Structures are given as structure tokens and as C-alpha cells.
Amino acid sequence: MSLLTLESSELAELAAQVRKDYEDLKAKGLKLDLTRGKPAKAQLDLSNDLLALPGPGHYTDAAGNDLRNYGNQKGIKELRDIWGKLTNMDPELLIAADSSSLNIMFDLISWAFLFGTNDSAQPWSKEEKLKWICPVPGYDRHFAITEQFGFELVTVPMEEDGPDVEAVEKLVADPAVKGMWVVPMFANPTGAVISEDKARRLARMEAGAPDFRIVWDNAYAVHTLTEDFPEILPILDIAAEEGNPNRFWAMSSTSKITFAGAGVGFFGTSEDNLEWYLEHAGIRGIGPNKINQLAHHEFFGSAEGVRAVMRRHAALIKPKFDAVLRILDKRLGEYEVAQWTNPKGGYFISLDVVDGTANRVWELARDAGILLTQAGSAYPYGQDDNDRNIRLAPTLPPQEEVEAAMDGVATCVLLAAVEKLGA
């Protein structure tokens, strides 16, 4: 029963009911928040044992190095070995650093801007024009970094198997295009997983800029919602095989596995890129928090230990995702006023509503006490030209609040749609 095919009398009747539903919704006085993809308290509790690690007297690595002291820019080998197995990267090409991968990404862009990369003729700041490719919908914090440095952000569509590579291949011929954001596994916010074919094309394609870089942010590599952990592409091997070993800056972190801001960030790349990175990192600081890295190593024990923790995360958050999908289908499915993703992992569901109504849905939800991520946030500069996309983040609130919020959101989507139709 598409709204577009309803008779005018039927549409008017539905509009009256939806307006009544919305007034009832506002009368509930809700205060619900689905704005950010944060772990819930129960998820954070899964890692509480980490707070007692490393145990008394445990402060050396397997080689006998005192981890309380300065040094070892690459991070402890034991944890890099675990993350190398987990992300399909040579641990010798992997750095374990402080906090989150977002910090590392900011450093990479800022150092390239100030000093140039190991493949640059000059600092990026000296270039006449800078451009960066942004698959959309995508991660707002990625876009904010390159926007901060004055890049012109150029969009390409994010498809089910990764970015529109044909569009990317055309754009990178321009030497002003210095890089691209990619979330290859359970992408934010669509949940897309890149195919090996597309990964190889990104690695192989000719770029006008010899220092073109792809930030391969595998933030959700192990964040499955099922029992399965999809194969993680060996992106550094692929880059070397395709003749562009320096192309990828690969990221990962424990931020949504253990504790946000108190975890470990990882950076994997070629030997030449690592040498360039460590040169600047060694001036910025004299080594990461290796005690925290040892604690994480003891907590996980192995790559399978990480997967075991992630299965416990999935058991907590999958019911929330299932609730979102069930309510959207029940409330909106028959009217054909929205489409949404059904991710197998990650932290988000991407909701597309009737063109021209996403901001109105956001306003209606806000006025009814339901906070959503601002419509358009998944696009550079917050500008969704179609005004259709809303990112849903169901992980943080309790189950009952997720269900209440989504029922309210469905009412707002319907109201915005009938308003758009003039009913």
C-alpha cells in the first residue's frame, strides 16, 4: 500500500491518524537518545577484568623489556602479533599506539599536510588545491578531519560491496586528489563490506598524485552481529601485489571492544610508510603506553580471545538491531516510504526516507523527545543533497528505549511523508 498510490480520501484519512499518533507521541514526554554509536554499559562491563591487569609484578614483555620505561615506538610485539592475525597483516608492518585509531588518522593527515609524505614532492599545504574522496553515506568524523585541513571533499556512492570504484578511478586522475576514506568492513553507517575485486581495483588504479593515500579504517573488522567473522582482506599484501605498496594507511583499534579512549590504536602500512611515520612519531613522543598494551594482551590472550569477547558483544546488541528492523518493517514496510540496511555487523543502520524529508523527520523526532544524529551527518559538510539519509545508532540505550524510540521515529517518518504529499 504505497502512499503514492493511495486515493486522496485514503491519504487524508491516514494523515489524520498519523497526526493523532504524533500528538500522542509528544504527550509521552520521552527523553531518548540514539545520536552516537557508543557501547552500552553492559558492553563496557565485559572488559572490567582489564582494570586489574597487568597483575602485580607484571611489567615486562616476553623479551624481558621493562614496559614501564620509555621507548618502543612500535608497541609490544605480543599484542601486535594478536592484531596481525586478527586483521590479516604482517605484525612487523603493524604499530600498536595509544588510545584510538582516530588520533593516528589525524596525525597522518596533519603530518602529510605539514611535511609531505615519503612520496611527496612537497608538503600538502604547499599544493595549490587539495581534494579528498569521501564515499557516502560515510563517517562524519572522517570527513571532519580532512575538512579541518581545507580539503575539498568529493563524494562517491557507497554501494553494498564498497565504494563506486568507477567513479573513484575517474576522480583520482586529478593530481589534486590526495586521498580517500574507506571503511572496508561493516561500514559506518551502511554496514557494507568491500569485495576483494574492489579492493584490488583501488590498489591497482593509476593516480595522478604519486602520494595518493587510502585511509583503510577497519574500525569494525571484528564487530559481527552473527557467529561468523568474515575474512579480512590482506590489504597490505594486495597493495604490494598490485604495485602500489605505499597506497594504504590501515587502521584498527580496541575502542569499541574494551574501553573508549583507554584502549589501543593500530596502524598498518608498508615499510617505507612506517619509517616516515616513526620519524615524526618519535619527535611527538617517546613511546606509547606499553603497560596498557600488556594489559590488553593479557586480557585477550590470542586472536580467538578477541573473537570470544566480540561474540559476547554481539549477544548484547543484536537484539537491539533486530528490534529496529522489526519495528521499521512493521510500521513502514507496507507504505514504501523508507528503505533501510540490514547489516551483519558494525554499529549502525542507515535509514533512507522520502527525498526532501530527512531533516523534517529529525525535527519531528527532536520535538517528541527523541534525539537522532542530525540528518545529513553521513555526508561531507552535513549536506545530503537529497535530504533522505538518517543514521540510526541503537547500541547505547536499553532495549526498551530502543523500541520506544524506533516506534516514535516510524511515526515521524510517516508524518513527514504525508506532509510532503500535501495531505
Side-chain angles (χ1 to χ4, degrees):
M1 187 175 64
S2 170
L3 290 191
L4 299 177
T5 62
L6 289 180
E7 298 289 340
S8 57
S9 59
E10 294 174 315
L11 183 60
E13 182 180 352
L14 176 63
Q17 180 60 53
V18 171
R19 287 189 170 89
K20 180 182 182 303
D21 291 343
Y22 181 69
E23 292 305 315
D24 292 343
L25 177 66
K26 287 201 297 183
K28 293 179 179 179
L30 298 175
K31 291 183 179 180
L32 306 175
D33 190 339
L34 267 68
T35 54
R36 302 299 312 186
K38 295 180 180 180
K41 180 182 181 299
Q43 291 177 260
L44 299 173
D45 287 344
L46 296 177
S47 297
N48 281 346
D49 288 349
L50 184 63
L51 297 174
L53 298 173
H58 292 194
Y59 48 78
T60 59
D61 62 14
N65 298 304
D66 190 333
L67 303 180
R68 299 171 299 177
N69 218 326
Y70 292 114
N72 191 0
Q73 284 284 356
K74 291 186 71 172
I76 69 170
K77 184 178 185 302
E78 294 92 323
L79 188 59
R80 290 190 289 112
D81 285 343
I82 289 177
W83 234 257
K85 291 177 183 176
L86 205 63
T87 58
N88 215 352
M89 285 191 283
D90 180 351
E92 291 304 311
L93 299 179
L94 192 61
I95 286 175
D98 288 334
S99 192
S100 74
S101 55
L102 198 65
N103 300 44
I104 304 172
M105 288 182 269
F106 189 91
D107 282 349
L108 289 166
I109 301 298
S110 60
W111 294 345
F113 188 82
L114 290 170
F115 311 117
T117 75
N118 43 302
D119 291 321
S120 301
Q122 60 183 350
W124 286 0
S125 58
K126 302 295 185 183
E127 301 283 355
E128 184 176 344
K129 194 171 185 63
L130 293 170
K131 299 180 182 180
W132 199 273
I133 299 173
C134 302
V136 293
Y139 183 27
D140 52 345
R141 292 193 182 276
H142 281 167
F143 304 155
I145 292 175
T146 34
E147 183 180 353
Q148 179 92 356
F149 287 93
F151 286 79
E152 176 187 339
L153 306 185
V154 185
T155 63
V156 297
M158 188 64 167
E159 300 170 337
E160 288 186 6
D161 61 344
D164 181 344
V165 178
E166 288 188 10
V168 173
E169 288 168 339
K170 293 176 183 176
L171 289 171
V172 296
D174 181 354
V177 175
K178 291 294 187 180
M180 175 181 179
W181 297 112
V182 175
V183 180
M185 183 75 73
F186 305 136
N188 177 353
T190 65
V193 177
I194 196 168
S195 66
E196 181 174 350
D197 176 66
K198 284 195 170 182
R200 287 192 175 276
R201 287 177 65 181
L202 291 175
R204 182 190 314 133
M205 64 188 180
E206 293 186 15
D211 50 358
F212 175 80
R213 294 291 187 265
I214 296 175
V215 180
W216 187 263
D217 186 8
N218 226 343
Y220 306 101
V222 292
H223 290 72
T224 181
L225 290 171
T226 71
E227 283 292 312
D228 300 322
F229 289 88
E231 180 184 1
I232 295 174
L233 296 174
I235 195 60
L236 301 185
D237 294 341
I238 289 172
E241 290 164 7
E242 298 296 346
N244 290 300
N246 293 351
R247 176 156 293 176
F248 290 88
W249 288 336
M251 306 294 152
S252 182
S253 83
T254 68
S255 288
K256 287 185 172 72
I257 300 174
T258 57
F259 301 134
V264 182
F266 297 90
F267 172 45
T269 193
S270 68
E271 289 185 15
D272 287 348
N273 287 354
L274 278 186
E275 183 179 351
W276 169 82
Y277 174 86
L278 290 170
E279 177 185 348
H280 295 295
I283 296 173
R284 186 198 59 183
I286 320 177
N289 183 342
K290 300 180 292 298
I291 293 294
N292 188 39
Q293 293 181 10
L294 179 62
H296 277 76
H297 172 258
E298 291 188 1
F299 178 69
F300 292 128
S302 65
E304 185 53 39
V306 179
R307 296 187 189 102
V309 171
M310 296 316 299
R311 290 188 182 98
R312 297 174 70 191
H313 277 271
L316 291 171
I317 64 175
K318 187 177 186 299
K320 299 179 183 182
F321 278 79
D322 289 344
V324 172
L325 298 172
R326 181 180 68 252
I327 292 168
L328 288 174
D329 184 62
K330 179 181 178 181
R331 294 289 316 280
L332 302 178
E334 65 178 309
Y335 297 112
E336 299 181 5
V337 293
Q339 294 180 313
W340 52 88
T341 57
N342 184 2
K344 303 303 180 187
Y347 258 58
F348 305 99
I349 292 171
S350 184
L351 174 66
D352 284 342
V353 296
V354 172
D355 282 11
T357 68
N359 272 288
R360 179 57 175 156
V361 171
W362 181 86
E363 291 171 354
L364 289 168
R366 177 201 61 196
D367 293 346
I370 303 170
L371 295 179
L372 302 174
T373 304
Q374 177 68 55
S377 292
Y379 290 75
Y381 315 113
Q383 295 176 359
D384 173 8
D385 291 340
N386 295 302
D387 189 20
R388 69 162 69 120
N389 184 257
I390 297 172
R391 186 182 70 186
L392 303 175
T395 55
L396 179 62
Q399 177 87 16
E400 61 273 15
E401 291 187 10
V402 171
E403 294 182 6
M406 287 313 306
D407 191 61
V409 168
T411 296
C412 296
V413 170
L414 283 171
L415 179 52
V418 297
E419 288 178 349
K420 182 73 172 178
L421 293 172

